[in-house]
Amino acid sequence: MPTELMETNKVEAVQNGTEQTRTNKVFIPRTDIYESKDHLLLMADMPGVKQDAVDITLEHNILTIYGRVEPPKVEEFGLTYAEYGIGDYRRVFTLSNEIDRDGIQASVKNGVLKLVLPKSKNAIPRKITVQTA
C-alpha cells in the first residue's frame, strides 16, 4: 500500500519514443534495501503493476523506476465508492559509483519489483595480505 502521494496532477511519461501525458495519481512505492557482500537488493511494493508496465531508466547516477497501473474495470458497473487509491508508482534513487551498472537485473512478481544491483569489483571488501619486507 503506498504511503505518500507524490503528485496528483499531470504526469508526463515517455512511451515508445512518444511523450504521453497521463492525469493520474503517482505514489512513492515503499522500498526495502538489503545488502550483501556483493550486491544491493531493492524490493519495491508496486501493487497492480505488471511486468510490461514497468520502466526503469539509469541516466548518469540516477536510477528511476516507474510503474503504470490500469484501473480495474468491472463490466456493466460504474464505480460508486472506493477506499483503495489507484495510481502509478515512481521513485528515484541516486547510485554511487560502487554499483556495476551493466549487471543490474530487474523482475516483477506479485506486485513487487526486485532490483539486484551488483557492486563493482572495486567496492567489494577484500583482505590485503601483509608481505614480509
Side-chain angles (χ1 to χ4, degrees):
M1 184 78 178
T3 58
E4 298 179 48
L5 182 63
M6 190 176 84
E7 186 175 322
T8 58
N9 295 326
K10 292 182 180 179
V11 175
E12 294 180 358
V14 177
Q15 289 183 330
N16 302 325
T18 61
E19 191 170 276
Q20 188 176 37
T21 302
R22 291 173 54 117
T23 303
N24 207 1
K25 293 179 182 177
V26 178
F27 298 97
I28 298 172
R30 287 185 176 189
T31 303
D32 294 330
I33 301 174
Y34 301 90
E35 182 173 10
S36 72
K37 183 179 119 190
D38 302 331
H39 297 84
L40 290 177
L41 173 65
L42 276 71
M43 306 280 283
D45 286 339
M46 300 168 71
V49 175
K50 298 178 181 168
Q51 184 171 350
D52 60 350
V54 176
D55 290 321
I56 302 170
T57 59
L58 177 61
E59 187 172 340
H60 303 292
N61 287 344
I62 306 299
L63 177 74
T64 304
I65 58 174
Y66 191 90
R68 290 177 307 282
V69 175
E70 297 300 326
K73 296 176 184 167
V74 181
E75 287 188 33
E76 300 180 23
F77 288 91
L79 182 64
T80 303
Y81 176 74
E83 293 185 345
Y84 183 81
I86 301 292
D88 296 341
Y89 297 91
R90 183 177 187 272
R91 188 144 184 192
V92 177
F93 298 93
T94 302
L95 301 182
S96 73
N97 291 329
E98 296 179 354
I99 301 299
D100 176 10
R101 282 138 176 78
D102 296 330
I104 296 174
Q105 297 177 350
S107 61
V108 175
K109 184 176 181 182
N110 297 329
V112 178
L113 172 65
K114 178 180 172 183
L115 278 169
V116 179
L117 308 168
K119 294 180 181 177
S120 68
K121 291 184 179 180
N122 293 336
I124 297 174
R126 63 186 174 106
K127 186 160 182 115
I128 299 171
T129 26
V130 178
Q131 299 177 353
T132 56

